[in-house]
Amino acid sequence: MALNRRNLGIGLLASGIAGTTGVALVGPRRIEGLITGTNPDQVALWGFIGGEKLDFVKNPKVRDLLSRRYGLTLDARRAGSVEMVSDAALTRQGPQWLWPASSVMAQLARRNALPVRRDDVVFNSPLVIYSWSPVAEALENAGYVERRENAFYIVKMAELMEAIVKRLSWKDLGVPDLYGRVIVTTTDPLKSNSGFSFAALLANLFSGDVASPESVVRDGDRIATIFDRMGYKEASSGTHWNSYLTEGMGGKPLIAAYESQLVEFILANPERWNALKSARIRPVMLYPAPTVTSSHPIISLAAAADPLVAALTDPDLQELAWSEHGFRGKLGSVGRGGPSVEGLSQTVSSLVPMPDAATMLALMQRLGAPS
């Protein structure tokens, strides 16, 4: 057939209809995937996550990026970091991935014969002590705390913890408005990583180095005393943080939690934060010197979840993690932009490593874990 103007027009019309139909059938995301080399076909993955990261995975920007760029949809179910790698009631459910808040949990997962395929640290967040302005000022006057530029550091952390062991009162530390003896609270170390990490920090402080099974035998009673004085311990870092804000200085004068929790709260609640920071009694973040950092590894337990390990280290997701949720990057760095937070240290250099899995198992058994 000769190619005349009429035939050319019919051909172009047919091509246009076919192209439009193709877009309708394939969809814009699929076309974007074909162009960019990504796979937008959705794979739904479920697993357990530490409560401190729930807002991150619920962030619409995070969900959209994971879906659009990697074809992943996450069903994240909250569980304590220790529980998710050791509680048979959870592990037998067959999660495809785990996202605890400590790299030690990857070691424990392997020890507990979970089918770990891949693991990689995604975020870091230093363990800090949250207090209130009158308490922080009293601790500064007593020499436990120093101001350095914009941040507060507990330079006598071991001595402050000894004050708890010795049953000193708040009046002894120059805080007459607080009733009773000095206390610090955190989450249940047998369930949640913030409590687990705080136990590790105490073990390091009392040993004078990175703790070992031998130092745990020697220092276990002092560490257990500090946890016993806490009374009821919550199972979730997020719940404990909310209790700190709700109960105030009287109920929670000192808590061990993550740096990221204050940053995320400020970003999500600017008006409430403005009211809090201008109050006479206001939240204060204190960096133990030294401290431990909470490294958040994503652990793949199924082949379908292997791509999630790479996806969560995407630079754009890392930037969202810092700028909207306060999580530092893999090396403890902050992002390009992000929050301007009073008392936030740009670099946290006074760090001591987490003890190994054998030491932490010995410590957990001393604190009441089942043998």
Side-chain angles (χ1 to χ4, degrees):
M1 180 177 66
L3 183 62
N4 56 35
R5 183 175 297 177
R6 179 175 180 276
N7 292 334
L8 177 61
I10 292 171
L12 290 174
L13 177 62
S15 298
I17 293 171
T20 304
T21 304
V23 171
L25 291 174
V26 174
R29 285 192 174 182
R30 181 59 176 162
I31 290 179
E32 179 184 357
L34 292 171
I35 295 171
T36 62
T38 59
N39 177 19
D41 293 338
Q42 296 304 294
V43 176
L45 301 171
W46 85 270
F48 292 116
I49 189 172
E52 70 286 337
K53 295 183 288 288
L54 270 179
D55 286 342
F56 172 77
V57 298
K58 290 179 180 177
N59 186 327
K61 297 177 186 176
V62 172
R63 296 173 71 87
D64 177 69
L65 198 153
L66 284 173
S67 173
R68 175 169 44 83
R69 191 171 293 177
Y70 296 96
L72 299 176
T73 301
L74 299 185
D75 174 6
R77 307 176 191 180
R78 180 161 64 181
S81 292
V82 182
E83 289 180 305
M84 70 176 71
V85 300
S86 59
D87 187 340
L90 299 180
T91 59
R92 72 165 65 103
Q93 294 177 37
Q96 296 166 292
W97 54 271
L98 304 172
W99 199 358
S102 172
S103 55
V104 176
M105 300 307 165
Q107 298 178 43
L108 292 179
R110 289 185 170 91
R111 277 177 168 259
N112 292 333
L114 297 185
V116 176
R117 295 173 53 85
R118 296 183 60 188
D119 68 278
D120 195 6
V121 170
V122 178
F123 305 143
N124 277 283
S125 189
L127 188 77
V128 300
I129 302 296
Y130 287 106
S131 188
W132 302 89
S133 47
V135 180
E137 290 164 10
L139 292 177
E140 185 179 10
N141 292 334
Y144 293 100
V145 169
E146 288 182 4
R147 298 190 195 205
R148 299 175 186 169
E149 297 180 350
N150 191 42
F152 292 85
Y153 294 86
I154 307 177
V155 294
K156 294 183 178 179
M157 183 68 178
E159 292 87 342
L160 181 58
M161 297 300 101
E162 283 287 3
I164 299 174
V165 176
K166 295 175 180 177
R167 301 177 66 85
L168 296 184
S169 70
W170 285 111
K171 289 182 180 180
D172 293 329
L173 298 189
V175 193
D177 293 338
L178 285 178
Y179 172 78
R181 303 187 188 281
V182 180
I183 187 174
V184 61
T185 63
T186 189
T187 55
D188 186 339
L190 309 184
K191 297 179 180 179
S192 167
N193 185 70
S194 51
F196 183 87
S197 295
F198 185 60
L201 177 59
L202 292 177
N204 286 340
L205 289 171
F206 289 145
S207 74
D209 200 348
V210 180
S212 65
E214 293 74 23
S215 70
V216 167
V217 172
R218 183 189 66 228
D219 303 322
D221 287 348
R222 287 191 290 174
I223 298 169
T225 295
I226 293 171
F227 277 93
D228 290 343
R229 297 275 166 81
M230 297 179 191
Y232 172 73
K233 289 172 279 294
E234 285 152 323
S236 164
S237 300
T239 304
H240 189 232
W241 168 255
N242 290 333
S243 295
Y244 162 73
L245 294 175
T246 301
E247 297 180 27
M249 187 175 80
K252 293 284 190 289
L254 293 172
I255 74 164
Y258 302 123
E259 175 195 64
S260 61
Q261 289 177 281
L262 177 62
V263 179
E264 185 176 57
F265 173 80
I266 291 172
L267 292 169
N269 304 275
E271 293 183 2
R272 188 178 175 193
W273 173 245
N274 284 333
L276 279 171
K277 74 176 184 180
S278 60
R280 185 181 69 85
I281 299 175
R282 59 191 180 278
V284 177
M285 180 164 58
L286 309 167
Y287 291 89
T291 190
V292 294
T293 191
S294 178
S295 301
H296 298 254
I298 185 71
I299 302 172
S300 168
L301 301 179
D306 287 352
L308 181 59
V309 178
L312 288 172
T313 56
D314 183 292
D316 291 333
L317 276 177
Q318 294 275 305
E319 190 62 31
L320 278 172
W322 165 248
S323 64
E324 299 195 13
H325 299 275
F327 288 108
R328 294 174 183 258
K330 294 180 64 173
L331 301 178
S333 59
V334 298
R336 295 186 298 273
S340 175
V341 177
E342 181 182 1
L344 182 74
S345 177
Q346 290 299 303
T347 58
V348 181
S349 56
S350 185
L351 294 171
V352 62
M354 286 285 292
D356 62 21
T359 302
M360 292 307 299
L361 283 171
L363 182 54
M364 292 304 99
Q365 288 174 354
R366 177 62 187 83
L367 295 178
S371 58

